[in-house]
Amino acid sequence: MRVLLLGGTNEARRLAAGLTRRTGFDVITSLAGRVAEPALPAGRTRVGGFGGTDGLAAWLTAERIDAVVDATHPFAAEITASAVTATTRTGVPLLVLRRPGWHEGPGDDWRRVPSLAAAADPPGDRVFLTTGRDGLPIFAGDDRRWFLLRSVEPPPPPLPPRSTVLLARGPYTVEGELELMRRHAVDVLVTKDSGGEMTAAKLTAARLLGLPVVMVDRPPMPAAPAVTTVEAAEAWLERLFQTDTSPGH
Ligand code: NAP
């Protein structure tokens, strides 16, 4: 069974590793090509966009793909929409693998907002901004606040005039996040509801420091079968594989 895994996440790498250990699966992970030195998954990879929905549909047919797992980041809405349309058109089964979002707990002070644009006026003067480099232009006109910008790759301009860029890749620890936020006298955290353990330490640190968190909500889930764990995605593929290879099929 030939599987296209839309990747760029820790879950996609874990799923690729699990599937390459099983017999009967040929996995191709697709990466967008945004990061110069991405963490590479097990098995084959391809890099770069498909050229929109038409390009993806043509690629699925040309490569004789039997199933697609969209294991992209919860905020990668364009490739997810493209996967839904292209698989519907070609009749290739699609599964969405999305880690659960984060939830506010006792002691947290979160302000949920529906979009990054709605996060542009956070309640503080020294902002720890971990929303990724693509959304930075929204904050570029803010010359009143100071920003600590953390991203994997150097963010392109425009950036807020009063800012410090920190290049880093998770996972992060609570101790490390506490030290960072104290050292820079951060008084508000702005982040996206990415979910997962790799980057959750900043939320614990914000709680311990009594800081408000502006939490950008996820885009809506697509209309497609979905699971939240790598194990459930493996089980879905295994069931599809059994059906595909059952006598008489
Ligand atoms: P996006 O806005 O949904 O996608 C923009 C375009 O990039 C898509 O239309 C597609 O181009 C191409 N693309 C995106 N993901 C791709 C993939 N896995 N393989 C091939 N092409 C892909 O995506 P994004 O938010 O920029 O995210 C890009 C990648 O970074 C994804 O793989 C995602 O999992 C990962 N990532 C994103 C975030 C985030 O916060 N958004 C965080 C961590 C990791 P075509 O239309 O030409 O096919």
Side-chain angles (χ1 to χ4, degrees), residues 134-156:
D134 288 347
L136 295 181
I138 287 170
F139 301 88
D142 189 340
D143 54 8
R144 188 174 71 77
R145 298 179 177 89
W146 174 88
F147 291 85
L148 176 62
L149 309 172
R150 184 165 69 190
S151 65
V152 176
E153 300 260 298

Side-chain angles (χ1 to χ4, degrees), residues 195-215:
E197 291 301 314
M198 301 256 295
T199 58
K202 62 193 168 194
L203 301 171
T204 308
R207 181 193 315 138
L208 293 172
L209 294 171
L211 301 185
V213 176
V214 179
M215 181 68 71

Side-chain angles (χ1 to χ4, degrees), residues 6-9 30-32 34 46 48-53 71-73 75-80 82 131 134 192:
L6 296 168
T9 59
S30 177
L31 302 172
R34 300 268 197 286
R46 64 161 301 286
F50 293 93
T53 303
T72 57
H73 190 271
F75 282 81
E78 278 180 46
I79 187 69
T80 293
S82 187
T131 50
D134 288 347
K192 299 190 291 198

Side-chain angles (χ1 to χ4, degrees), residues 55-74:
L56 178 55
W59 193 92
L60 294 176
T61 305
E63 294 290 326
R64 300 200 314 277
I65 297 296
D66 297 305
V68 177
V69 178
D70 171 15
T72 57
H73 190 271

Side-chain angles (χ1 to χ4, degrees), residues 49-247:
F50 293 93
T53 303
D54 291 348
L56 178 55
W59 193 92
L60 294 176
T61 305
E63 294 290 326
R64 300 200 314 277
I65 297 296
D66 297 305
V68 177
V69 178
D70 171 15
T72 57
H73 190 271
F75 282 81
E78 278 180 46
I79 187 69
T80 293
S82 187
V84 170
T85 309
T87 53
T88 304
R89 199 186 293 164
T90 53
V92 177
L94 168 69
L95 180 73
V96 176
L97 167 56
R98 280 288 177 286
R99 61 177 90 126
W102 287 317
H103 296 286
E104 195 172 357
D108 285 328
D109 175 11
W110 291 9
R111 329 277 164 99
R112 282 201 174 265
V113 293
S115 65
L116 202 51
D121 188 21
D125 298 318
R126 297 183 64 82
V127 186
F128 185 18
L129 190 58
T130 67
T131 50
R133 57 187 159 148
D134 288 347
L136 295 181
I138 287 170
F139 301 88
D142 189 340
D143 54 8
R144 188 174 71 77
R145 298 179 177 89
W146 174 88
F147 291 85
L148 176 62
L149 309 172
R150 184 165 69 190
S151 65
V152 176
E153 300 260 298
L159 303 180
R162 300 176 59 227
S163 55
T164 297
V165 174
L166 177 64
L167 298 182
R169 197 193 302 239
Y172 304 104
T173 63
V174 174
E175 295 71 30
E177 300 291 55
L178 276 172
E179 193 278 326
L180 183 71
M181 288 156 86
R182 280 198 183 110
R183 177 155 43 96
H184 291 285
V186 164
D187 60 11
V188 61
L189 168 67
V190 177
T191 189
K192 299 190 291 198
D193 186 4
S194 299
E197 291 301 314
M198 301 256 295
T199 58
K202 62 193 168 194
L203 301 171
T204 308
R207 181 193 315 138
L208 293 172
L209 294 171
L211 301 185
V213 176
V214 179
M215 181 68 71
V216 180
D217 280 337
R218 294 175 170 200
M221 278 291 284
V227 293
T228 56
T229 65
V230 171
E231 294 68 29
E234 276 193 53
W236 183 87
L237 284 166
E238 192 64 57
R239 273 198 305 278
L240 198 64
F241 181 56
Q242 300 299 341
T243 315
D244 222 43
T245 54
S246 63

